């Protein structure tokens, strides 16, 4: 047991990322039932859809679970009140200033974690009063920090900057990686990509199958002027890269992105015109797995790596 398992009341310090179009009640409840912390991805849910998923999650697990909310969500006040009404006690926030909603949530007895991409923002999280910090390196899928700091560099830097419980994210998908970031100062991990490809993920099967066949170098960080996003190389990604190469303005990129592009790719399975967000670590995983299988694989991989390390010679 450590500060992360104690804080959230979970068996393993493993958090499933609250990913848009992937993290519904089936995935969140399955992860929680397996001993981790499942998160609902509110970023792709209308308010009443979020309420439905919270209620279904409560009906399918008696273990702790939470909700991830991007602070840029347009109707965020409604989401926050639904969370309170439904008795959710864990919220992970991202993509915004943690000072805006942390006091409100804490006043309602909610434990708050915030996602950052730099040690500078880790300090701001501590000042805002969050309970834990997720430090996410740019290997991660979806939206990334402009700093492009890798997880290996970010975790020790964030550990020096704050004494709060620290969760590592970005490029983590194995038990060996959990041990590595633990050595760097993290007390838990947030894993997105491997869970996004799981049996219980709500992503389209075509998207999952494509991602299970990726090789190293098949993703790229694009849309840097707008909001840096790691995408699978595809027709849409090629169009984005061409626009950026010729110096497209922010407005031109917004027009190219349009509305519902991530839904089209991840949830509806349009592999040509959709926005296909996934992390670099996808190239390691080629088989369908259940959330429970993933948790057990992470735990056994961690224990095996720790045992080997203890038996190996010193430097």
């Amino acid at each position: 047991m450590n500060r992360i398992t104690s804080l959230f009341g979970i068996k393993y310090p493993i958090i499933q990322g609250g990913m848009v179009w992937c993290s519904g009640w089936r995935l969140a409840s399955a992860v929680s039932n397996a001993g981790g912390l499942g998160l609902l991805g509110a970023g792709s849910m209308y308010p009443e859809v979020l309420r439905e998923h919270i209620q279904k999650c409560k009906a399918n697990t008696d273990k702790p679970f939470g909700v991830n909310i991007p602070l840029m969500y347009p109707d965020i006040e409604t989401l926050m009140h639904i969370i309170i009404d439904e008795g959710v006690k864990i919220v992970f926030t991202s993509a915004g200033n943690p000072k805006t909603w942390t006091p409100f949530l804490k006043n309602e007895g909610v434990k708050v974690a915030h996602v950052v991409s730099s040690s500078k923002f880790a300090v701001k999280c501590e000042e805002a009063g969050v309970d834990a910090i997720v430090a996410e390196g740019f290997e991660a899928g979806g939206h990334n920090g402009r700093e492009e700091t890798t997880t290996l560099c970010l975790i020790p830097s964030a550990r020096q900057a704050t004494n709060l419980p620290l969760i590592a994210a970005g490029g983590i998908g194995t038990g060996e990686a959990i041990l590595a970031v633990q050595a760097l100062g993290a007390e838990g991990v947030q894993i997105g990509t491997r869970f996004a490809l799981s049996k219980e993920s709500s992503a389209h099967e075509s998207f999952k199958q494509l991602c299970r066949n990726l090789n190293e170098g098949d993703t790229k960080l694009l849309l840097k002027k707008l909001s840096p996003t790691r995408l699978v190389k595809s027709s849409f990604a090629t169009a984005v890269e061409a626009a950026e190469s010729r110096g497209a303005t922010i407005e031109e990129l917004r027009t190219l992105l349009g509305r519902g592009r991530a839904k089209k790719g991840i949830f509806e399975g349009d592999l040509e015109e959709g926005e296909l967000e996934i992390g670099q670590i996808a190239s390691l995983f080629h088989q369908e797995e259940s959330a429970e299988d993933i948790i057990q694989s992470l735990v056994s991989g961690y224990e095996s790596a720790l045992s080997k390390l203890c038996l190996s010679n010193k430097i």
Side-chain angles (χ1 to χ4, degrees), residues 60-276:
N60 283 275
T61 184
D62 59 357
K63 305 292 193 298
F65 70 91
V67 176
N68 174 274
I69 303 183
L71 294 176
M72 64 175 74
Y73 190 95
D75 197 11
I76 192 166
E77 187 170 353
T78 302
L79 288 192
M80 290 296 187
H81 286 290
I82 286 173
I83 283 169
I84 301 307
D85 289 346
E86 293 295 333
V88 174
K89 292 302 179 185
I90 300 170
V91 169
F92 279 51
T93 56
S94 58
N97 187 345
K99 289 184 178 179
T100 309
W101 284 99
T102 297
F104 168 81
L105 291 167
K106 296 276 288 182
N107 190 55
E108 296 290 341
V110 176
K111 294 182 176 73
V112 181
H114 189 73
V115 183
V116 301
S117 57
S118 72
S119 56
K120 172 186 172 183
F121 286 108
V123 172
K124 291 186 180 296
C125 282
E126 187 162 4
E127 293 170 352
V130 305
D131 296 288
I133 295 169
V134 181
E136 184 175 77
F138 103 124
E139 300 95 323
H143 296 286
N144 267 279
R146 296 185 183 280
E147 301 85 358
E148 297 190 19
T149 306
T150 64
T151 303
L152 198 67
C153 295
L154 178 58
I155 298 308
S157 178
R159 182 71 291 162
Q160 288 181 1
T162 176
N163 290 318
L164 286 178
L166 183 63
I167 299 163
I172 301 167
T174 65
E176 292 85 350
I178 296 174
L179 181 60
V181 294
Q182 188 181 64
L184 294 173
E187 295 156 85
V189 294
Q190 178 174 285
I191 294 175
T193 292
R194 195 169 178 184
F195 285 119
L197 305 181
S198 70
K199 193 176 297 183
E200 294 88 353
S201 164
S202 51
H204 197 281
E205 282 304 315
S206 296
F207 169 77
K208 293 182 191 179
Q209 194 56 46
L210 173 74
C211 292
R212 291 190 194 110
N213 286 300
L214 294 177
N215 296 310
E216 290 179 15
D218 282 347
T219 68
K220 189 163 187 177
L221 196 66
L222 296 169
L223 293 166
K224 294 179 186 179
K225 278 186 181 178
L226 194 59
S227 178
T229 309
R230 181 167 298 283
L231 301 175
V232 176
K233 292 177 180 178
S234 65
S235 298
F236 171 66
T238 299
V240 169
E241 192 168 9
E244 291 183 323
S245 295
R246 64 175 169 76
T249 64
I250 290 176
E251 284 308 313
E252 287 175 320
L253 290 172
R254 280 203 182 104
T255 300
L256 178 60
L257 189 60
R259 289 179 59 83
R261 185 79 73 165
K263 180 182 181 182
K264 181 181 289 188
I266 300 169
F267 191 68
E268 297 176 353
D270 187 333
L271 305 183
E272 295 301 320
E273 296 302 320
E275 184 178 345
L276 309 173

